[in-house]
Amino acid sequence: MSSTMISSHIPDLDLITVYAQRQDTFFSRVSPWTSFAGLLLVILLITLTRNLVICGALYLVILGMYAAAGLPVRKLFAWYTLPVLFVLSLVGIMAWTEPGTPLFSLNTGLCTLTLTDNGLILVVTLLLKALISVTYSLFFLMTTRYQHFSAMIYRLFPTPLDQIFLMAYRFLFLTLSMTGSIFKAVRSRGGGIIHSIRVQGRIFAEVFALVFIRSFDRAERVHQAMIARGYNGKYEAGTEIPRPGLSGYCVIGAFTGVIALVVLFVPNTGGLL
């Protein structure tokens, strides 16, 4: 566990950076522009389709790419906890209001809730969409060097959004490191997340307040150190980004063709093919 890792269910930024900089897989040699175009096309496809089969097949393909790149699959499943809880908290109620063939009924005393086949398909489809976006985003981050990623942000995002993003990325490591240290101190004194939320919520409020105060103080000192080293208020990322080769353009074209076929010939109203 790295110094910035708070929980095994939260993506470890240090580990992601290590895999991104190691560059020892086939996918690391792919142009970052090709990987980024793939990310946009994946988001476009899962936005356009509600088909369960297409979402399931796309998830298996991306998970296979993630595993073939030598990235940590077991940790990926642990990192799924937050997106799964997020999706279930949003659509868990919607699933009981979808019309369709009843599968299960629950009498609450005030009303009867019925789970239908369409409601279950809705939950699974949205869950797959969330896992697809999380898996490919991590795949993109863990196979792209930081200097290439920062150069893409610098060229694509308008000022000052690019400056905010690039500087926030650096300070995020400091904030997570301090949060992890404070959580270790709380645990060493008998505190725990569940126990403290129920009984000692005030302690955790003080922990987060202390994190923000110390982060602000450290940010000021880091900013002064950057000015002393010649920082003029603008972070420039001039790293050359490798352009896609012929194979990269072919992959982008093939994926675009698949999306066109899905839009033209596959119903996007949900359900099985």
Side-chain angles (χ1 to χ4, degrees):
M1 179 180 293
S2 68
S3 59
T4 61
M5 189 172 177
I6 300 174
S7 169
S8 60
H9 301 295
I10 299 176
D12 187 349
L13 291 181
D14 281 340
L15 184 63
I16 292 174
T17 304
V18 168
Y19 276 101
Q21 297 301 112
R22 201 166 66 179
Q23 297 284 300
D24 57 354
T25 68
F26 166 77
F27 296 100
S28 300
R29 295 191 290 273
V30 175
S31 168
W33 290 120
T34 303
S35 300
F36 182 70
L39 176 62
L40 297 180
L41 291 173
V42 165
I43 294 175
L44 178 63
L45 180 56
I46 63 176
T47 302
L48 293 176
T49 185
R50 294 178 55 193
N51 191 281
L52 180 60
V53 174
I54 292 177
C55 290
L58 183 61
Y59 171 69
L60 292 178
V61 170
I62 294 176
L63 182 62
M65 292 169 56
Y66 184 94
L71 304 178
V73 178
R74 185 173 298 179
K75 287 186 178 295
L76 175 67
F77 290 146
W79 295 340
Y80 279 163
T81 302
L82 291 181
V84 168
L85 291 177
F86 179 75
V87 171
L88 293 180
S89 63
L90 288 180
V91 300
I93 299 176
M94 295 171 55
W96 297 87
T97 60
E98 281 289 310
T101 305
L103 298 177
F104 176 76
S105 295
L106 177 64
N107 189 358
T108 62
L110 299 176
C111 61
T112 300
L113 300 176
T114 301
L115 179 65
T116 65
D117 55 346
N118 289 333
L120 186 61
I121 290 174
L122 174 67
V123 173
V124 176
T125 303
L126 294 179
L127 196 58
L128 284 173
K129 289 185 176 186
L131 298 184
I132 288 170
S133 58
V134 169
T135 305
Y136 194 88
S137 298
L138 290 171
F139 171 81
F140 172 66
L141 291 175
M142 297 171 83
T143 55
T144 305
R145 287 184 183 275
Y146 171 71
Q147 54 265 38
H148 293 155
F149 179 66
S150 60
M152 295 174 72
I153 295 296
Y154 179 72
R155 296 176 186 179
L156 295 177
F157 281 40
T159 303
L161 291 181
D162 59 336
Q163 302 299 307
I164 294 173
F165 183 91
L166 294 172
M167 298 305 293
Y169 179 83
R170 284 161 171 74
F171 288 114
L172 186 60
F173 286 92
L174 297 176
T175 303
L176 290 178
S177 177
M178 283 190 295
T179 306
S181 300
I182 293 175
F183 270 117
K184 287 180 182 176
V186 170
R187 292 192 186 100
S188 66
R189 290 164 173 79
I193 294 179
I194 296 177
H195 175 72
S196 295
I197 287 177
R198 291 180 176 178
V199 184
Q200 301 178 6
R202 184 173 56 84
I203 295 178
F204 273 80
E206 293 173 352
V207 166
F208 286 109
L210 184 60
V211 167
F212 279 105
I213 292 173
R214 293 186 62 181
S215 298
F216 183 79
D217 177 65
R218 180 169 290 188
E220 282 291 323
R221 285 187 280 128
V222 171
H223 182 248
Q224 294 298 327
M226 292 173 63
I227 291 177
R229 289 166 173 77
Y231 177 65
N232 59 1
K234 184 175 179 59
Y235 177 84
E236 297 184 2
T239 304
E240 289 293 329
I241 305 175
R243 295 182 177 179
L246 178 61
S247 59
Y249 286 115
C250 291
V251 171
I252 295 174
F255 200 5
T256 305
V258 170
I259 294 177
L261 291 175
V262 169
V263 173
L264 292 175
F265 298 106
V266 178
N268 60 354
T269 53
L272 299 172
L273 279 170

